[in-house]
Amino acid sequence: QAQLVESGGGTVQPGDSLRLSCTTSGRSFTRGAMGWFRQAPGKEREFVAVIWRNGGSTYYGNSVKGRFTISRNAAGNTVYLQMNSLKPEDTAVYYCAAGMGLILSSLTNGAQYDYWGQGTQVTVSA
């Protein structure tokens, strides 16, 4: 049974940076997709970023493009989300997700991912 564990959340001020980590165990997703989603109170889950196909492709949600960067380690079992220039509207619970067999058109759809972490809170506040 695969497990995903996120870490790195916290409370920061606007303009600050944070790096989230997601470590997998139980199976490899190197050839699949590993993504980050977020959900703020009262809002729907939002796609943030994904790394796909041996790390060869990355995609971002419009609201984070140019500020966030997704990457992973050489072993392929840890994915990072570097978040720069954080804004109050980035406040949410961030979830790591993983799946195999996803196609390009499904990467932003959380329902296509089979495995999820427990989430880590990110709060951006002055």
Side-chain angles (χ1 to χ4, degrees):
Q1 181 71 13
Q3 288 190 324
L4 281 63
V5 178
E6 303 103 332
S7 61
T11 299
V12 296
Q13 294 187 339
D16 284 352
S17 298
L18 270 179
R19 188 176 81 157
L20 305 183
S21 300
C22 172
T23 300
T24 65
S25 61
R27 70 170 294 173
S28 172
F29 296 97
T30 303
R31 296 184 179 182
M34 290 194 68
W36 289 94
F37 292 79
R38 67 186 182 186
Q39 189 164 21
K43 294 188 177 181
E44 293 187 352
R45 184 172 58 196
E46 178 188 12
F47 166 74
V48 175
V50 64
I51 189 163
W52 185 48
R53 287 188 173 177
N54 292 318
S57 300
T58 58
Y59 300 95
Y60 297 91
N62 289 334
S63 61
V64 306
K65 279 181 184 176
R67 300 188 298 123
F68 290 12
T69 303
I70 189 169
S71 63
R72 64 182 175 194
N73 65 349
N77 63 343
T78 300
V79 172
Y80 306 99
L81 185 69
Q82 178 65 43
M83 306 185 294
N84 298 330
S85 303
L86 282 161
K87 305 175 181 180
E89 50 264 43
D90 294 318
T91 295
V93 178
Y94 284 70
Y95 297 93
C96 178
M100 299 296 292
L102 277 75
I103 59 175
L104 180 60
S105 61
S106 67
L107 293 177
T108 62
N109 183 354
Q112 299 299 315
Y113 291 75
D114 298 315
Y115 301 95
W116 291 82
Q118 81 287 354
T120 186
Q121 176 71 45
V122 172
T123 301
V124 184
S125 174

